[in-house]
C-alpha cells in the first residue's frame, strides 16, 4: 500500500496538462488582447490616413486669398473619402467623409510640437481672416470600437465593452517661386470691375497696356500700377545687387506667397537694368554688353534708328527724333489712357492699339514685304487687324516662331541684337516677373506705406508681364507692359516652372 502511494506521489505523467489548464485562461486572454490591439492599430491607421489626406487636401487651398477657407471646406467635403474597417462587430467597411470630422483653421502653430494649439493660433473670423489661414487642423469624430477582451481591462468599466478611436492631423500650405526678379507690382485692377485673374484669362483684356511707375521715397503712396522692389533673400538689398538681379538672364531670388518684405527707396539704375533686355547698354550697364550673364533677348525690335557713325553705331542707336512711325516703330501704345477711357486712373489703357501701323512699318514694307501671313487676332481665327487686335506679346512670339525677327523695317531696323555679342534663345527675355500685391487693402490695414512693410505682406499672385518698349527716363521710370500670366488655377500654366507648391503635414 505504501509502495503504491509512494509511486503515485512521484509519478509526473500528465503534468503538462495540468500546467496548460492553469495557463489556458492567460493564453486565451493574451491572444484576444493581441487581436484587439491589432484591430485597434489597424483602425487607427485607417483613420489617421484619412485624416492626413483630408488635412492636406484642405491645406492645398490655403493660398492667402479671400476665398481660401471656402475652397478648403469644399475640398474637405468632396476630395477625400477614406474607407476603414475593424470598428464594429460586422467587420464591414465604413467611409470617413467630412461629416465625420471637425476642422479649425490656424494662423500659426506653437513653437514646438509638444505644446498645445491655443486660441491665439486659431482664426475665429473665417471671412475676414481667410487671408491669414496658413494651417488646418482636422480632427476625426471618435469612432466606436467593440472589443473582445474583457472591457474591465480596457476601460476600467466592467459594463462597457467598447472604446473610441480618433485621429488628429495638422497640415499647411506654402506657395513660392524661384528665379524671380525682386519686384512687386501694385495690382492695377484692384478696386475695379476686373480681377487680375479675369484679365489673365481674357486675350482682349490682356492686350490692355499697363503703365507701371516706380514707387518713390518713404512718403510716396502705393497706388495701383506702382512698382517697387522686394528684399532679396539673404539680405542683399543694396541698389546695385537688385539692379544686377533685374538685368541678368537668371535671377536667383525665391519668394513665398505667404509674405514678402519690401525694399524701400528709389533705384535710378533700374532703367539701365531693364533696357539690357532690349540690347541697350547705357549708364551702369555699359561695360556688360559682352557679358553672357547680361545678354539681350533674341527679339529686341524697339523702334530705334542707328546714328550712322561707323561699325559701333548699333550701340548708339536711339529712338527716332522726330518720331517716324512709318520707318521705325516699336509696339504702339494704347490709343486712350485718359480717365474717360482708362480702366484704372490713367494707368491701364483701353487695349486699342495700331497693329496695322506696326505690321506695315516692320513687315509689310514697301521694299521687302514678308511672305508669312499675319498672326491671328483676338478672335483666334481671323488674321490680326485694327479691328481684331492680338496681344503684343503674341505678335512678338509670332515673329520669333516665323523666323522674321531679322526682317528690316522701312527704316532698316532689325529685331536681332546688334550691340551685344551675346543673345539668349529664351523668347521670354522681355518678360519681367513680379509679386502682385493688393496695395490699397494692405495700406488700409496699416501693413504697407511708403515702400515699407510690416509684417511680411501676403501676395495676391505672382505674375509675368511683357515689356513692350524700352524704359524711359524720368522721375518715375515708367515701364509699359502687357499682362501675360498669373499663378493659380485661372492662369495658363506658363509660370509653373517657377512655382514651388508644398502642402505638408506638420502634426
Amino acid at each position: 500500500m505504501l509502495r503504491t502511494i509512494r509511486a503515485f506521489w512521484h509519478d509526473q505523467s500528465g503534468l503538462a496538462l495540468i500546467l496548460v489548464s492553469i495557463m489556458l485562461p492567460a493564453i486565451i486572454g493574451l491572444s484576444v488582447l493581441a487581436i484587439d490591439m491589432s484591430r485597434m492599430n489597424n483602425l487607427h491607421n485607417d483613420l489617421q490616413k484619412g485624416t492626413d489626406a483630408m488635412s492636406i487636401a484642405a491645406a492645398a487651398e490655403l493660398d492667402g486669398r479671400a476665398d481660401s477657407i471656402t475652397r478648403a471646406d469644399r475640398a474637405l467635403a468632396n476630395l477625400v473619402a477614406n474607407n476603414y474597417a475593424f470598428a464594429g462587430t460586422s467587420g464591414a467597411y465604413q467611409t470617413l467623409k467630412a461629416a465625420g470630422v471637425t476642422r479649425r483653421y490656424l494662423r500659426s502653430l506653437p513653437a514646438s510640437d509638444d505644446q498645445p494649439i491655443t486660441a491665439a493660433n486659431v482664426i475665429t473670423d473665417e471671412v475676414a481672416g481667410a487671408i491669414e489661414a496658413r494651417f488646418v487642423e482636422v480632427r476625426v469624430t471618435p469612432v466606436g470600437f467593440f472589443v473582445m477582451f474583457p472591457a474591465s481591462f480596457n476601460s476600467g468599466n466592467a459594463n462597457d465593452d467598447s472604446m473610441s478611436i480618433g485621429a488628429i492631423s495638422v497640415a499647411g500650405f506654402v506657395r513660392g517661386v524661384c528665379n524671380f526678379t525682386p519686384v512687386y507690382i501694385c495690382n492695377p485692377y484692384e478696386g475695379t470691375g476686373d480681377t487680375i485673374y479675369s484679365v489673365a484669362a481674357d486675350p482682349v483684356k490682356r492686350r490692355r497696356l499697363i503703365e507701371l511707375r516706380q514707387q518713390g521715397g518713404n512718403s510716396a503712396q502705393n497706388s495701383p500700377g506702382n512698382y517697387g522692389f522686394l528684399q532679396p533673400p539673404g539680405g542683399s538689398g543694396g541698389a546695385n545687387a537688385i539692379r544686377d538681379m533685374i538685368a541678368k538672364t537668371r535671377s536667383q531670388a525665391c519668394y513665398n506667397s505667404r509674405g514678402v518684405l519690401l525694399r524701400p527707396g528709389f533705384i535710378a539704375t533700374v532703367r539701365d537694368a531693364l533696357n539690357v533686355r532690349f540690347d541697350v547698354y547705357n549708364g551702369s550697364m555699359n561695360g556688360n554688353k559682352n557679358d553672357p550673364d547680361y545678354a539681350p533677348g533674341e527679339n529686341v525690335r524697339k523702334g530705334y534708328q542707328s546714328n550712322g557713325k561707323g561699325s559701333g553705331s548699333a550701340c548708339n542707336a536711339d529712338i527716332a527724333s522726330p518720331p517716324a512711325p512709318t520707318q521705325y516703330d516699336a509696339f504702339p501704345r494704347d490709343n486712350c489712357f485718359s480717365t474717360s477711357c482708362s480702366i484704372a486712373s490713367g494707368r491701364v489703357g483701353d487695349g486699342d492699339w495700331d497693329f496695322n501701323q506696326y505690321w506695315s512699318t516692320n513687315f509689310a514694307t514697301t521694299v521687302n514685304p514678308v511672305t508669312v501671313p499675319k498672326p491671328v487676332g483676338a478672335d483666334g481665327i481671323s488674321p490680326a487687324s485694327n479691328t481684331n487686335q492680338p496681344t503684343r506679346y503674341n505678335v512678338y512670339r509670332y515673329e520669333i516662331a516665323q523666323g522674321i525677327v531679322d526682317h528690316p523695317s522701312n527704316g532698316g531696323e532689325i529685331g536681332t541684337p546688334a550691340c551685344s555679342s551675346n543673345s539668349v534663345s529664351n523668347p521670354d527675355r522681355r518678360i519681367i516677373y513680379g509679386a502682385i500685391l493688393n496695395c490699397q487693402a494692405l495700406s488700409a490695414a496699416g501693413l504697407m506705406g511708403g515702400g515699407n512693410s510690416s509684417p511680411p505682406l501676403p501676395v495676391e499672385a505672382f505674375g509675368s508681364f511683357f515689356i513692350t518698349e524700352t524704359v524711359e527716363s524720368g522721375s518715375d521710370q515708367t515701364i509699359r507692359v502687357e499682362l501675360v500670366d498669373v499663378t493659380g488655377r485661372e492662369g495658363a500654366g506658363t509660370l509653373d516652372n517657377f512655382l514651388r507648391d508644398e502642402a505638408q503635414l506638420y502634426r
Side-chain angles (χ1 to χ4, degrees):
M1 182 68 178
L2 289 176
R3 183 181 298 123
T4 303
I5 294 173
R6 190 180 294 110
F8 178 76
W9 180 261
H10 292 288
D11 188 359
Q12 297 184 12
S13 60
L15 180 61
L17 180 60
I18 297 173
L19 295 176
V20 169
S21 299
I22 295 172
M23 294 298 299
L24 187 58
I27 294 173
I28 295 174
L30 289 174
S31 299
V32 172
L33 178 61
I35 294 172
D36 273 349
M37 293 298 294
S38 177
R39 291 173 59 227
M40 291 167 60
N41 183 65
N42 287 335
L43 174 59
H44 182 265
N45 284 342
D46 286 347
L47 293 175
Q48 191 63 57
K49 288 177 182 178
T51 309
D52 291 347
M54 285 182 168
S55 63
I56 289 175
E61 304 296 332
L62 302 181
D63 54 7
R65 291 170 56 188
D67 63 342
S68 61
I69 287 181
T70 301
R71 288 184 281 108
D73 281 344
R74 190 182 304 130
L76 193 63
N78 299 322
L79 291 184
V80 179
N82 191 66
N83 289 327
Y84 64 94
F86 308 105
T89 56
S90 65
Y93 275 93
Q94 301 179 54
T95 301
L96 174 64
K97 292 187 176 180
V101 304
T102 57
R103 90 291 185 271
R104 292 192 297 180
Y105 292 98
L106 315 174
R107 60 171 54 87
S108 61
L109 291 176
S112 62
D113 289 347
D114 60 348
Q115 296 176 349
I117 294 172
T118 66
N121 305 118
V122 180
I123 292 174
T124 54
D125 186 344
E126 294 185 355
V127 176
I131 62 174
E132 298 181 80
R134 298 184 59 188
F135 308 94
V136 59
E137 178 195 66
V138 175
R139 184 185 297 264
V140 171
T141 303
V143 175
F145 177 80
F146 300 99
V147 298
M148 295 184 293
F149 197 73
S152 58
F153 285 86
N154 289 295
S155 63
N157 184 356
N159 297 319
D160 186 5
D161 62 352
S162 66
M163 301 178 63
S164 293
I165 306 295
I168 303 174
S169 181
V170 176
F173 175 73
V174 175
R175 164 167 286 174
V177 293
C178 283
N179 302 320
F180 242 60
T181 43
V183 173
Y184 76 87
I185 294 164
C186 289
N187 185 356
Y189 290 97
E190 185 181 10
T192 71
D194 293 309
T195 68
I196 197 73
Y197 304 101
S198 65
V199 173
D202 186 343
V204 174
K205 295 179 179 179
R206 281 205 312 272
R207 73 181 185 221
R208 297 170 181 166
L209 195 66
I210 305 171
E211 291 188 344
L212 305 176
R213 301 171 189 171
Q214 186 172 165
Q215 204 275 353
N218 291 336
S219 62
Q221 299 300 311
N222 288 285
S223 303
N226 277 131
Y227 74 92
F229 308 101
L230 302 176
Q231 287 286 3
S236 56
N240 290 345
I242 291 179
R243 175 204 66 196
D244 290 344
M245 293 177 74
I246 293 173
K248 286 184 175 181
T249 56
R250 185 178 177 87
S251 175
Q252 300 299 317
C254 293
Y255 296 100
N256 187 331
S257 64
R258 285 292 174 187
V260 292
L261 288 172
L262 308 189
R263 189 275 187 194
F266 185 86
I267 300 180
T269 54
V270 71
R271 172 177 180 262
D272 299 332
L274 288 169
N275 284 345
V276 161
R277 301 162 187 250
F278 286 88
D279 195 38
V280 175
Y281 294 85
N282 289 330
S284 58
M285 293 289 106
N286 186 54
N288 299 111
K289 63 183 178 182
N290 293 321
D291 187 334
D293 288 338
Y294 296 85
E298 61 178 316
N299 185 354
V300 298
R301 193 181 299 273
K302 49 192 175 290
Y304 276 28
Q305 68 177 130
S306 172
N307 63 12
K309 295 181 180 179
S311 60
S313 60
C315 292
N316 297 313
D318 207 345
I319 299 174
S321 182
T326 61
Q327 300 296 311
Y328 313 94
D329 198 23
F331 283 115
R333 300 173 188 175
D334 284 2
N335 294 325
C336 187
F337 265 95
S338 69
T339 54
S340 61
C341 65
S342 174
I343 307 302
S345 303
R347 296 295 186 91
V348 181
D350 60 356
D352 183 16
W353 64 285
D354 196 346
F355 166 81
N356 290 346
Q357 180 67 72
Y358 176 82
W359 193 261
S360 63
T361 297
N362 294 300
F363 301 108
T365 60
T366 56
V367 178
N368 184 27
V370 299
T371 57
V372 300
K374 293 180 180 179
V376 174
D379 65 0
I381 301 173
S382 307
S385 67
N386 277 5
T387 57
N388 186 29
Q389 296 139 318
T391 66
R392 298 166 181 84
Y393 177 66
N394 283 349
V395 176
Y396 161 83
R397 292 294 300 265
Y398 183 80
E399 294 170 20
I400 296 174
Q402 295 296 324
I404 57 176
V405 172
D406 61 351
H407 186 275
S409 70
N410 283 330
E413 182 193 21
I414 61 174
T416 50
C419 177
S420 175
S421 58
N422 300 290
S423 64
V424 294
S425 58
N426 180 6
D428 288 336
R429 177 65 168 137
R430 277 173 60 177
I431 293 283
I432 186 172
Y433 304 94
I436 302 171
L437 307 182
N438 288 324
C439 296
Q440 293 182 99
L442 293 171
S443 297
L447 301 176
M448 182 180 190
N452 293 288
S453 61
S454 180
L457 304 177
V459 176
E460 174 67 17
F462 291 99
S464 55
F465 299 82
F466 173 64
I467 308 175
T468 62
E469 59 182 90
T470 52
V471 181
E472 64 186 30
S473 60
S475 59
D476 55 20
Q477 303 204 35
T478 300
I479 310 173
R480 292 181 172 85
V481 298
E482 279 184 346
L483 176 66
V484 177
D485 200 5
V486 293
T487 54
R489 290 174 175 79
E490 297 86 346
T494 61
L495 296 173
D496 287 354
N497 288 338
F498 297 92
L499 283 176
R500 302 292 187 272
D501 284 356
E502 296 181 8
Q504 65 183 56
L505 294 172
Y506 287 86
R507 291 191 172 194

